[in-house]
Amino acid sequence: MAGIIKNRQVAANNWQLLKAGADKSLPAVPEGDVIVPLAQWLAQKDALLARKGRLGVWLANTDDPAVIAGDLNHFDLVAVDFPHFTDGRGSSIARLLRERYGWTGELRAIGDVIRDVVFYLSRCGFDAFDLKAGEDAKAALSAFGDFSEAYQTSVERPQPLFRRRAATAQAAAAK
Amino acid sequence: MYIYDEIDQRIVDDRVAQFRDQTSRFLAGSLSEDDFRPLRLQNGLYIQRFAPMLRVAIPYGLLASRQLRALAYIARKWDRGYAHFSTRQNIQYNWPKLEDVPDILEKLASVQMHAIQTSGNCIRNTTVDHFAGVAPDEIVDPLVWCEIIRQWSAFHPEFAFLPRKFKIAVSGAETDRAAIQVHDIGLQAQYDDKGNIGFRVYVGGGLGRTPIIGTVIREFLPWQHLLTYLDAVLRVYNRYGRRDNKYKARIKILVKETKPEVFRAQVEAEWAHLKDGPATLIEEEVERITKRFTRPAYQKLDKLASGYVLALGRDKAFASWARRNVQAHKVAGYAAVTLSLKKTGVAPGDMTDAQMEAVADLADRYSFGELRVSHEQNLILADVRQSDLFELWQQARELGLATPNIGLLTNIIACPGGDFCSLANAKSLPVADAITRRFDDLDYLYDIGELDLNISGCMNSCGHHHVGHIGVLGVDKQGAEFYQISIGGAQGNKAALGKVLGPSVSQAEVPGVVEKLIDLYIERRDSAEERFIDVVQRIGIEPFKEHVYGGHHKKPAGRGEQLAAA
């Protein structure tokens, strides 16, 4: 299986990503670790919880993360799909999962994920990246260093630059 | 000027390295054209009709003389010796080579400039009143807040890929010179009754295909909450703005379709979570940014310089320039000077490398080494001693930058149009040129008085035609270039959208139509003080329509004669 990026390292991907059929029919659930679409989780909660193997759920860019806010303790992984990397909805979903609903487990970006957005996505709370076909996961690791600083508050570093600057200035003044 | 600190500089340098890497991956074939497009656009790089076009940010229109010299250097070394100031307080190069762009960005970074987010579906350059900090009617100096917004918006991780572009404008004066009501977000800086600074927040204004005046969604937002509130607005937009149709993707459509009061409730609900969070601004930061702005060291001068008054009486040409191009200043003895980039025969907003260098010299000599770019595509020396005005005028005149037409008909706002832009339906520059030539008689121009004439080459409205007293819009009619004329638009506090006069006309007919509009205005005004826009508001557009099209609203009257004249 193709490698993914996890915690800023190339890692093996042991998860199977399940998708609904073209007619929106829910897929059969194989053995092993699976990431199911939100609709499947909502429809088959009990069966999914009864099976062996780890369970993940993935959200589409149009899904509201509030729907799974109360279910997060059942998951080993949450993924957010990017149908195209220029669709920024997944970034807001990620921040909400991390900052509002308290998800601390693996948060994986899936779909049209290219190295050039890894820095942004990482700041929005993604710690795993299943890059699109053709992207070199190892080469993409350098993306974490695209910028050495950032102005805004982020999941990775909730204190914005201006607060860190002020704290440094205060510490210097106290000396 | 805001002066970068080490971190500001590092972020811009990092961007240059990132773009250099992206460009080389694209040229090597490992980054596809489709993937590279949105990435280069976020760096202001379009692939245009003839060559790439690079748009460089001039944050809130403020420019130091050394930066203008760098822009001149870039024009000479990597372009064809000129550049175009846009209506977004930016500057555009029309002929750079793709492989040279990383070097251009590096040159820009060396003078604390960049092209970050000058295009693409992200938060664009924040614009402001071009007389910020010097206008006598200013309530709050907006520049510090603009820089705070610049830093917040630069590489914001959550809002890098919005449904569509997003533009913020700030005004701190009684008169709105920043068109805040036709921006995605408009901020009016003001004081509350306890003397605290805050902002009236307009949202969902815009021009383009669906022109809308913004709605006030918050009367007074205390400054501490500026960024958390912006985060809330942007998050609602990012999540719910339409992405299925790019013509319906601006926030104005979301606000309109969800209803302003519902949209406001959504923002408030989101803000309830973010309010008082870590992005809440602190006094130390406002103070730090304020201190990083260099401020002119004004001298103590008399309110009116006697030499200036004498020169006004002595030299008629100087007096008429001063009347149009010199604006009052809040500091006694100083004035703000607009250098007109609207000379007959020159495309509005265009400037050569030599002119840029000469203006940089003027800024050093007369205005503390700083200048501003206005959204009317002119340059402003904002801090000139009155006693220097005569000398400055003489020098500006030699450079062809002293056309005394600010606020007048020939101070035309125009986008680059079909000569350069691949989006355009029709050309803008030849139309501007033809109108300017038609009204070349200065006395007549003065008699007509204040009039904004704005030209856009297409519905994207880069030339702000909707808010021109007279607006000209290029349209495509079965493959031919035609122009739709509207009247009654206005910018500022009484922002209004122009109404279409009637069927579109050919390029050759446009100056004739403008002339007819002016004729009727002169005939119907009750005094020289009543401006064109006042007359349109008083008598409505019907009489103008009659006069231009004759009784039957078909073809403009006198068509044959105008065609012959063209």
Side-chain angles (χ1 to χ4, degrees):
Chain A
M1 243 177 216
I4 60 159
I5 297 175
K6 194 176 165 184
N7 297 326
R8 304 193 170 204
Q9 288 179 334
V10 178
N13 181 17
N14 301 313
W15 292 84
Q16 298 173 74
L17 182 68
L18 307 187
K19 292 191 174 176
D23 57 352
K24 294 192 176 166
S25 62
L26 297 175
V29 181
E31 291 191 3
D33 300 339
V34 292
I35 310 172
V36 301
L38 176 63
Q40 188 149 27
W41 164 249
L42 295 176
Q44 302 172 358
K45 275 184 196 181
D46 294 341
L48 288 168
L49 289 174
R51 64 188 286 285
K52 284 184 192 156
R54 292 183 296 168
L55 178 64
V57 67
W58 68 268
L59 303 180
N61 55 356
T62 48
D63 288 334
D64 184 354
V67 173
I68 55 163
D71 299 341
L72 290 171
N73 57 335
H74 297 304
F75 305 130
D76 296 291
L77 177 155
V78 176
V80 179
D81 181 50
F82 289 81
H84 195 273
F85 76 86
T86 56
D87 186 328
R89 280 177 280 194
S91 301
S92 288
I93 292 173
R95 288 195 80 157
L96 289 168
L97 283 167
R98 289 288 195 216
E99 294 172 335
R100 192 156 307 163
Y101 306 125
W103 174 246
T104 54
E106 177 176 338
L107 185 57
R108 182 181 291 195
I110 59 174
D112 187 51
V113 182
I114 63 172
R115 77 169 298 296
D116 300 274
V117 295
V118 163
F119 182 80
Y120 281 138
L121 295 185
S122 159
R123 294 180 62 212
C124 288
F126 288 102
D127 56 2
F129 304 86
D130 189 355
L131 301 177
K132 81 165 173 182
E135 287 278 316
D136 179 346
K138 192 154 179 279
L141 290 176
S142 67
F144 292 103
D146 277 356
F147 290 89
S148 52
E149 248 305 352
Y151 290 112
Q152 307 80 2
T153 169
S154 67
V155 173
E156 283 183 323
R157 194 146 63 166
Q159 293 293 305
L161 178 59
F162 67 79
R163 282 186 186 264
R164 289 182 279 118
R165 268 174 167 143
T168 313
Q170 248 174 21
K175 271 184 191 169
Chain B
M1 286 304 299
Y2 174 80
I3 306 295
Y4 283 6
D5 74 354
E6 179 269 326
I7 298 175
D8 299 319
Q9 183 68 52
R10 186 143 47 89
I11 290 172
V12 170
D13 291 343
D14 287 345
R15 174 55 144 196
V16 177
Q18 184 194 37
F19 192 73
R20 194 179 286 287
D21 173 59
Q22 288 169 342
T23 305
S24 64
R25 278 189 285 134
F26 169 69
L27 292 171
S30 62
L31 180 60
S32 73
E33 167 67 45
D34 281 351
D35 284 352
F36 184 48
R37 185 184 308 115
L39 301 174
R40 66 169 160 72
L41 282 176
Q42 301 238 333
N43 225 7
L45 188 64
Y46 290 75
I47 303 295
Q48 283 286 32
R49 199 155 272 189
F50 301 111
M53 185 272 275
L54 177 67
R55 182 181 294 148
V56 174
I58 300 176
Y60 36 93
L62 221 53
L63 205 52
S65 55
R66 69 195 176 95
Q67 294 176 321
L68 188 56
R69 287 193 186 93
L71 294 174
Y73 176 86
I74 290 167
R76 193 163 47 241
K77 177 156 184 189
W78 289 293
D79 205 292
R80 296 188 178 177
Y82 73 99
H84 173 80
F85 286 97
S86 80
T87 56
R88 291 287 311 159
Q89 298 180 315
N90 288 319
I91 188 168
Q92 298 178 174
Y93 292 98
N94 280 309
W95 308 95
K97 286 201 195 73
L98 173 64
E99 52 272 33
D100 288 338
V101 172
D103 291 338
I104 297 176
L105 296 179
E106 194 171 306
K107 176 72 189 173
L108 289 169
S110 76
V111 291
Q112 308 192 349
M113 292 186 81
H114 58 75
I116 296 163
Q117 292 164 214
T118 52
S119 181
N121 297 332
C122 49
I123 306 167
R124 303 286 190 86
N125 188 21
T126 297
T127 49
V128 73
D129 180 355
H130 44 264
F131 293 123
V134 305
D137 71 337
E138 189 162 277
I139 307 158
V140 176
D141 182 342
L143 293 176
V144 168
W145 305 104
C146 290
E147 176 58 26
I148 287 173
I149 294 169
R150 184 191 75 84
Q151 298 191 8
W152 162 81
S153 63
F155 309 118
H156 195 301
E158 189 179 345
F159 307 131
F161 296 103
L162 296 167
R164 200 76 180 84
K165 58 190 168 185
F166 200 92
K167 299 174 177 179
I168 300 174
V170 189
S171 168
E174 280 168 20
T175 303
D176 169 24
R177 285 171 290 260
I180 61 171
Q181 295 183 41
V182 288
H183 277 77
D184 296 291
I185 288 181
L187 297 170
Q188 173 68 46
Q190 54 194 10
Y191 287 103
D192 68 5
D193 49 16
K194 295 190 187 86
N196 303 307
I197 290 178
F199 304 89
R200 184 188 303 132
V201 183
Y202 292 85
V203 71
L207 300 176
R209 209 166 276 260
T210 316
I212 301 179
I213 302 289
T215 311
V216 176
I217 59 162
R218 199 160 182 94
E219 258 319 315
F220 190 83
L221 176 72
W223 63 267
Q224 293 88 340
H225 303 303
L226 177 63
L227 300 186
T228 54
Y229 196 81
L230 290 177
D231 274 328
V233 174
L234 266 295
R235 181 171 286 173
V236 171
Y237 172 54
N238 190 40
R239 293 188 69 194
Y240 304 116
R242 287 181 63 170
R243 292 175 190 258
D244 58 324
N245 178 343
K246 78 172 198 173
Y247 299 115
K248 299 195 169 176
R250 294 290 287 269
I251 195 173
K252 62 189 172 187
I253 304 292
L254 177 66
V255 173
K256 194 175 149 200
E257 286 182 354
T258 50
K259 303 276 175 276
E261 58 279 12
V262 177
F263 180 81
R264 177 191 295 125
Q266 288 173 343
V267 170
E268 289 290 322
E270 187 57 45
W271 189 43
H273 293 285
L274 302 175
K275 188 170 179 278
D276 300 321
T280 306
L281 281 166
I282 49 177
E283 263 172 46
E284 293 96 308
E285 174 66 357
V286 179
E287 206 174 297
R288 188 188 72 84
I289 301 256
T290 306
K291 281 188 182 152
R292 294 203 72 80
F293 269 93
T294 56
R295 294 287 180 178
Y298 296 116
Q299 295 168 300
K300 232 177 143 51
L301 300 173
D302 289 339
K303 203 160 177 219
L304 258 184
S306 53
Y308 172 49
V309 178
L310 283 176
L312 285 175
R314 198 173 55 226
D315 192 315
K316 204 177 153 211
F318 174 61
S320 61
W321 175 78
R323 195 167 101 210
R324 296 310 329 177
N325 297 34
V326 174
Q327 279 80 24
H329 198 290
K330 68 179 181 190
V331 177
Y334 285 85
V337 168
T338 303
L339 299 173
S340 173
L341 302 185
K342 312 292 178 68
K343 192 175 177 240
T344 304
V346 178
D350 273 11
M351 208 174 183
T352 65
D353 59 331
Q355 278 180 319
M356 287 187 227
E357 279 169 345
V359 168
D361 291 344
L362 292 182
D364 282 342
R365 215 172 302 146
Y366 301 112
S367 198
F368 300 94
E370 284 185 20
L371 54 147
R372 287 116 184 272
V373 183
S374 78
H375 80 274
E376 291 171 343
Q377 303 172 288
N378 292 312
L379 292 182
I380 289 162
L381 298 177
D383 301 286
V384 181
R385 284 189 307 204
Q386 288 176 358
S387 52
D388 289 336
L389 285 171
F390 188 75
E391 202 179 292
L392 169 60
W393 169 68
Q394 289 175 310
Q395 296 180 25
R397 203 161 53 156
E398 272 176 33
L399 295 168
L401 300 171
T403 311
N405 61 351
I406 304 308
L408 301 181
L409 192 154
T410 57
N411 182 34
I412 294 172
I413 296 181
C415 68
D419 291 303
F420 294 101
C421 177
S422 51
L423 301 172
N425 290 322
K427 295 185 177 69
S428 316
L429 303 179
V431 178
D433 186 52
I435 296 171
T436 314
R437 286 180 197 283
R438 184 72 63 111
F439 292 92
D440 207 21
D441 179 343
L442 265 181
D443 289 333
Y444 185 42
L445 209 53
Y446 276 88
D447 186 40
I448 298 167
E450 271 180 46
L451 198 152
D452 295 340
L453 193 150
N454 300 353
I455 306 174
S456 303
C458 75
M459 267 307 191
N460 289 303
S461 315
C462 298
H464 301 177
H465 66 277
H466 294 296
V467 292
H469 300 165
I470 297 176
V472 179
L473 166 67
V475 291
D476 179 275
K477 236 175 158 180
Q478 282 135 23
E481 297 185 3
F482 274 75
Y483 296 85
Q484 193 180 71
I485 315 286
S486 57
I487 61 171
Q491 55 179 358
N493 304 59
K494 293 188 175 164
L497 303 168
K499 293 200 179 78
V500 176
L501 196 63
S504 53
V505 301
S506 72
Q507 186 178 324
E509 289 168 326
V510 176
V513 172
V514 174
E515 205 163 20
K516 283 197 163 291
L517 292 171
I518 300 301
D519 288 346
L520 187 78
Y521 153 66
I522 301 268
E523 190 186 311
R524 299 293 288 270
R525 69 180 175 188
D526 52 26
S527 70
E529 273 65 56
E530 197 184 26
R531 300 171 306 159
F532 177 85
I533 182 70
D534 303 327
V535 173
V536 177
Q537 280 164 3
R538 179 165 59 80
I539 69 175
I541 89 163
E542 274 309 316
F544 288 93
K545 203 181 220 171
E546 282 302 286
H547 192 66
V548 169
Y549 293 95
H552 27 11
H553 294 192
K554 275 184 196 152
K555 292 281 176 197
R559 180 187 168 97
E561 169 223 340
Q562 282 153 19
L563 284 175

